[in-house]
Amino acid sequence: MEARVATGPVPADGKEPILSVEQVNCTFSVRRGLFGKRKPLKALNNISLDLRKGEVLALVGESGCGKSTLSRTIMGLQESDSGSVILNGQRIENLPPLPRARMIQPIFQDPYSSLNPRKTIGEIIAKPLAVHSIGTRQEQRAQVEQMMELVGLPRRVFNSFPDQLSGGQRQRAAIGRALIMRPEVVICDEPTSALDVSVQAQILNLLLDLRDELDLTYLFVTHNLSVVRHMADRVAVMYLGEIVECGDRDSVLSRPRHPYTKALMDSALSISPGREIPDPGLDGEFPNPMNRPSGCSFHPRCPIAEAQCREQAPRPEIIGSSLVKCWKAQPSDNQSIN
Ligand SMILES: Nc1ncnc2c1ncn2[C@@H]1O[C@H](COP(=O)(O)OP(=O)(O)O)[C@@H](O)[C@H]1O
Ligand SMILES: [Mg+2]
């Protein structure tokens, strides 16, 4: 099978990706202390990633590895140093606001801070229609009511303010606002992690139902592996601004190839269901992105690193149905990377 630069073998149906991230780099300039010198912090290091129409691709990794920066870059909210984000064949920066809004929408983590507290739920969900001057007020109202029904919000909250709603209802409103433009791709950045466990499952199931009903494609950022198991078709594992492994959900979860993925999975086995991973239980702290290790960026914490790993960055290779960045990952299913 032909290798793509991005995230795995070409799918059997040969479908073009709906969204491609191609060799994206993003560096922040960070000042240490009030009078400290500015230093570069490389948050995204040559990221390539494909989203295929209709799939849920989960993006997982420890806090600080760059998941939100990547999500923001994909939405055109964060400028990159180099590389490109291509939506349906067009670079995102070349898409005018309306086609962009019809193409891609975000759902953020915290429904408490992402909704304007001074607007009613009806106004909040209608906002994208108002911004893009779509329809008359009556038509907008009809669309909002229809959307509220789709996301499971009772009509009586149309004139309520966010603080009169439960956390789950607020997130339903945020989902309604994201979907009112009928986008093709939705970027969900930890959309349930601020919610009670009992409400999380309802929202996840709602997102899955909406995917089927509205023909959506999701990039789903999470650091909760039970969420990955529930939602994802494919999984991309991020470490220190890089995708280190990407493949079908079952391969990545049950036959992880990269030592980092393996550590994540092992740590997830030892916690109770519904809890978040991960403290992957690796030696050493999550490294400082302002001071990247040489060679493979995971080598200081890797139990199987050798001289080559310290000196040379590994190139992504296809192993089984996954793309893996590791000198020591084994090609055969029978061989373990232990
Ligand atoms: N606006 C910013 N300015 C400076 N550094 C940032 C900014 N946003 C994120 N970072 C840094 O980039 C790295 C990745 O952050 P982030 O994308 O938020 O990770 P995640 O979402 O995986 O927790 C972190 O080291 C973080 O401190
Ligand atoms: Mg984040």
Side-chain angles (χ1 to χ4, degrees):
M1 220 183 286
E2 179 201 348
R4 286 188 64 87
V5 255
T7 49
V10 175
D13 60 10
K15 261 195 202 157
E16 277 298 300
I18 189 165
L19 183 151
S20 293
V21 177
E22 290 175 4
Q23 302 186 338
V24 162
N25 290 281
C26 176
T27 311
F28 294 112
S29 173
V30 179
R31 198 195 292 275
R32 276 264 169 101
L34 201 53
F35 303 106
K37 258 179 75 177
R38 287 194 168 274
K39 280 190 76 176
L41 182 157
K42 187 139 202 193
L44 301 180
N45 189 14
N46 213 25
I47 296 261
S48 294
L49 196 69
D50 277 349
L51 255 184
R52 300 164 192 161
K53 188 155 179 58
E55 76 171 349
V56 180
L57 175 63
L59 184 63
V60 300
E62 286 163 281
S63 181
C65 70
K67 304 182 297 295
S68 294
T69 304
L70 178 56
S71 309
R72 292 174 54 77
T73 306
I74 288 176
M75 288 183 295
L77 301 174
Q78 171 68 52
E79 216 176 305
S80 55
D81 316 341
S82 61
S84 47
V85 175
I86 314 270
L87 277 161
N88 262 346
Q90 284 212 57
R91 290 175 77 107
I92 187 150
E93 63 270 28
N94 296 341
L95 277 175
L98 180 57
R100 190 191 291 197
R102 291 225 183 269
M103 197 52 224
I104 191 163
Q105 286 286 335
I107 298 172
F108 295 111
Q109 172 172 7
D110 187 357
Y112 295 88
S113 62
S114 65
L115 304 183
N116 185 338
R118 285 178 296 276
K119 299 280 181 196
T120 65
I121 297 304
E123 287 168 332
I124 287 169
I125 299 176
K127 176 105 187 270
L129 298 176
V131 166
H132 296 285
S133 312
I134 294 170
T136 63
R137 283 187 74 103
Q138 269 153 331
E139 285 163 347
Q140 289 178 1
R141 184 175 176 117
Q143 278 201 50
V144 170
E145 284 177 353
Q146 192 194 8
M147 184 49 71
M148 285 175 67
E149 199 173 326
L150 263 177
V151 299
L153 279 175
R155 238 183 227 200
R156 65 185 147 75
V157 304
F158 189 95
N159 290 316
S160 303
F161 290 91
D163 68 358
Q164 297 172 299
L165 269 55
S166 67
Q169 284 180 325
R170 287 184 211 207
Q171 199 57 313
R172 287 175 194 271
I175 294 169
R177 177 183 57 184
L179 300 185
I180 194 94
M181 297 297 289
R182 301 297 161 105
E184 296 191 46
V185 177
V186 183
I187 309 291
C188 307
D189 192 349
E190 314 229 19
T192 59
S193 57
L195 302 175
D196 288 346
V197 174
S198 57
V199 184
Q200 286 186 12
Q202 294 168 17
I203 298 294
L204 294 176
N205 288 333
L206 170 68
L207 288 168
L208 285 178
D209 290 346
L210 291 167
R211 182 218 8 201
D212 295 339
E213 208 151 329
L214 304 177
D215 219 6
L216 302 169
T217 303
Y218 291 135
L219 177 70
F220 204 95
V221 175
T222 178
H223 59 277
N224 184 325
L225 284 186
S226 48
V227 172
V228 174
R229 202 162 276 123
H230 190 68
M231 299 291 288
D233 300 304
R234 286 193 308 138
V235 183
V237 181
M238 235 178 137
Y239 185 80
L240 203 60
E242 292 180 50
I243 307 278
V244 295
E245 177 160 0
C246 184
D248 294 339
R249 177 195 58 194
D250 293 340
S251 315
V252 175
L253 293 187
S254 48
R255 209 182 305 129
R257 311 282 182 159
H258 194 286
Y260 177 63
T261 318
K262 199 169 178 331
L264 281 187
M265 299 309 148
D266 289 348
S267 73
L269 288 179
S270 62
I271 58 170
S272 48
R275 284 279 312 282
E276 287 179 353
I277 55 145
D279 173 0
L282 291 159
D283 289 341
E285 299 269 298
F286 187 75
N288 180 349
M290 284 199 263
N291 200 1
R292 299 182 72 83
S294 61
C296 169
S297 57
F298 183 60
H299 88 254
R301 296 167 86 193
C302 180
I304 56 169
E306 290 179 349
Q308 183 184 29
C309 312
R310 288 187 280 277
E311 289 154 15
Q312 255 181 306
R315 294 193 58 77
E317 269 198 68
I318 292 172
I319 301 178
S321 62
S322 299
L323 201 82
V324 188
K325 254 188 184 176
C326 172
W327 291 119
K328 308 269 294 166
Q330 300 288 334
S332 161
D333 284 353
N334 302 325
Q335 288 168 290
S336 149
I337 51 174
N338 269 325

